[in-house]
Amino acid sequence: MYDLIVIGGGPAGMMAAGRAGEKGKKVVLLEKKDRMGKKLLLCATGRCNVTNTASLDQFIKVYGRGGHFLRTALETFDNEKLRSLLLSYGVETVVENKGRVFPKSQRADSVLQALEAYMHDHKVKIQTHSPVVRLNFEGNRISDVETSQGNVFGKNVLIATGGLSYPATGSSGDGYKFASSAGHTICPTYPAIIAFETVESWVKSLQGTPIKNVHIAAYQSGKKIAEQFGEALFTHYGLSGPTILDMSKRMVECLQDGPVQIRIDLKPKHSPEELEGLLLDQIKRHGSKAMKSCLSFFIPEKLTSIFLNLCNLEPNKKVSQITVSERRKILKQLKGLCLTLIRHRPIEEAIVTAGGVNLNEVNAKMMESKLLEGLYFAGEVLDIDGPTGGFNLQAAFSTGYLAGNSVD
């Protein structure tokens, strides 16, 4: 008989198992795949953005309505405590732009090895290849957890199965089914950090081309719904990159009501007047050259031909032949390149899932179910999501730690 059965070997599950073991509890972790941390290894393209240096108040703010719920978890196990724990297992961390924290090794597997060592040190039993079939109940408690390998008995159960994204890593929505069987409400799930497909097919020829230091605003029916400054990325299907991902939750919600218009200011640090002065200067300097070579001063070279086509200008037209009205078209496009988003990519590609176990049914001070004694939740299975930048992993680590800490 275990004190705690942890379902799911992701960041939240491993942290909870390690902390409960550290408190002297007898713990087993059930992972349906052949190894733990498969999604963790993919974080930030394998570099693993573990947390952010933001203050507690900033952390709470970025999660929106989930922020207040997370306060106790973040106070109990914050970004500094996470970095200290990792350091105690030999993982130094470094701070990059916007406060993002990475392992100094730039390797996600160093973080995974630290979590595995944390569990090993505190005698957590790991059972891989053990997909959970169902939770069995006796009265108002879970009597046992039924897996493909047999039944596991314990006093407490933690559901830390992740969301719906990257099903190949094990995050396929099982936790919602288990929570529902225990009487919990599941808030509708949808992608929270995701790329988008556009009406415009010309993006395909720009696949892999980044645009940096741009201002992007999203509109629906003429009303601004989101905006960001930073970097975006053209893909074979549409748009991705940090700015798009950070705006994506709001845009996914709005897409239910129709297409979303994207307006990209390619030179946001210059007013239209300043930009016109720069363009005139380029025209004077390069009068005998083709217009596309002149434009490469303002935008990525790969974008120039398409950009001029959108202005209805011949790319090889000489700079000296550009008329005043044509110059205005160029300036208008530089300050407002437009694209139309028609759908988000499949939820399986989402970095984070929005929705999940209703927070009103979970005790925020313990991560324990209000409906069923001895049932706990942690990580992405809860209706919590934040932007990119280490906030989602910190939420997983903090809720996992608090759950493991709360088990009697």
Side-chain angles (χ1 to χ4, degrees):
M1 171 76 78
Y2 291 98
D3 295 311
L4 176 64
I5 302 168
V6 176
I7 306 173
M14 289 188 283
M15 184 62 78
R19 178 57 186 150
E22 190 176 9
K23 286 185 66 188
K25 303 299 180 186
K26 189 180 178 186
V27 183
V28 62
L29 185 149
L30 307 174
E31 168 55 47
K32 69 178 179 180
K33 292 292 183 178
D34 59 341
R35 67 172 299 186
M36 298 176 293
K38 285 202 168 189
K39 189 178 175 186
L40 182 72
L41 293 175
L42 299 176
C43 288
T45 58
R47 293 173 62 227
C48 199
N49 182 188
V50 289
T51 187
N52 196 285
T53 58
S55 67
L56 176 65
D57 286 343
Q58 286 172 306
F59 260 96
I60 287 167
K61 188 178 178 184
V62 299
Y63 300 109
R65 54 196 167 80
H68 177 69
F69 176 87
L70 281 174
R71 179 177 283 278
T72 301
L74 291 166
E75 286 175 340
T76 305
F77 191 71
D78 63 11
N79 46 11
E80 286 305 317
K81 286 176 183 169
L82 172 62
R83 294 177 74 182
S84 294
L85 177 64
L86 291 173
L87 185 59
S88 72
Y89 283 96
V91 181
E92 283 186 69
T93 49
V94 293
V95 181
E96 297 188 10
N97 66 321
K98 297 185 177 178
R100 296 177 303 159
V101 178
F102 291 85
K104 191 176 179 183
S105 65
Q106 301 287 303
R107 292 173 61 94
D109 59 1
S110 63
V111 177
L112 177 56
Q113 285 161 18
L115 292 168
E116 288 174 331
Y118 181 45
M119 291 187 291
H120 179 265
D121 283 357
H122 300 297
K123 300 179 171 56
V124 174
K125 183 181 179 184
I126 309 296
Q127 280 186 209
T128 54
H129 298 289
S130 295
V132 171
V133 178
R134 68 176 65 84
L135 307 181
N136 293 321
F137 302 89
E138 200 172 275
N140 197 35
R141 283 197 83 99
I142 296 168
S143 60
D144 62 280
V145 174
E146 190 176 327
T147 79
S148 61
Q149 306 298 315
N151 293 35
V152 182
F153 295 84
K155 298 175 192 169
N156 302 283
V157 173
L158 168 68
I159 297 174
T161 49
L164 279 168
S165 54
Y166 296 106
T169 66
S171 298
S172 52
D174 297 346
Y176 307 135
K177 180 180 71 176
F178 304 144
S180 291
S181 72
H184 278 272
T185 310
I186 307 302
C187 299
T189 54
Y190 58 95
I193 301 181
I194 192 84
F196 294 87
E197 297 175 15
T198 60
V199 167
E200 294 78 11
S201 57
W202 53 258
V203 293
K204 193 168 186 176
S205 62
L206 295 172
Q207 180 181 353
T209 304
I211 43 173
K212 300 180 179 182
N213 301 315
V214 296
H215 178 268
I216 300 185
Y219 297 83
Q220 190 170 56
S221 304
K223 183 184 174 186
K224 189 188 288 183
I225 56 170
E227 61 182 327
Q228 282 282 339
F229 174 85
E231 182 178 332
L233 181 72
F234 289 109
T235 67
H236 68 280
Y237 49 77
L239 275 178
S240 186
T243 53
I244 296 297
L245 296 178
D246 279 341
M247 294 162 66
S248 62
K249 183 181 180 184
R250 181 73 183 120
M251 296 194 296
V252 167
E253 291 167 348
C254 289
L255 273 171
Q256 297 171 38
D257 300 320
V260 169
Q261 307 298 323
I262 291 290
R263 198 173 299 159
I264 305 172
D265 185 343
L266 294 159
K267 290 291 165 192
K269 291 179 179 176
H270 297 292
S271 68
E273 295 73 27
E274 289 170 337
L275 202 55
E276 184 168 25
L278 288 170
L279 182 58
L280 284 168
D281 183 57
Q282 288 299 306
I283 287 170
K284 282 175 192 169
R285 286 168 181 259
H286 307 290
S288 61
K289 290 186 178 177
M291 192 60 211
K292 65 179 180 182
S293 63
C294 172
L295 262 186
S296 61
F297 175 80
F298 298 96
I299 57 176
E301 194 174 339
K302 219 172 172 185
L303 178 56
T304 53
S305 293
I306 287 165
F307 183 92
L308 288 166
N309 191 41
L310 292 170
C311 296
N312 294 315
L313 284 168
E314 168 56 48
N316 293 316
K317 187 171 185 175
K318 283 198 168 56
V319 173
S320 58
Q321 296 172 330
I322 296 295
T323 66
V324 173
S325 65
E326 287 171 337
R327 195 171 73 229
R328 284 184 185 141
K329 282 182 185 177
I330 291 167
L331 290 168
K332 189 180 176 185
Q333 284 287 357
L334 284 171
K335 296 299 284 181
L337 179 66
C338 293
L339 287 152
T340 304
L341 308 184
I342 45 170
R343 68 181 72 88
H344 59 72
R345 294 292 289 167
I347 195 167
E348 291 81 9
E349 295 179 20
I351 295 171
V352 172
T353 308
V357 175
N358 190 320
L359 302 182
N360 295 328
E361 300 168 355
V362 180
N363 181 342
K365 298 204 180 298
M366 298 173 68
M367 293 297 132
E368 186 178 17
S369 166
K370 291 179 180 177
L371 313 181
L372 203 68
E373 192 182 344
L375 175 62
Y376 295 79
F377 298 96
E380 201 180 339
V381 73
L382 290 160
D383 182 18
I384 292 168
D385 59 90
T388 59
F391 297 101
N392 291 291
L393 266 183
Q394 182 66 57
F397 289 130
S398 294
T399 53
Y401 187 94
L402 180 57
N405 196 54
S406 302
V407 170
D408 282 332

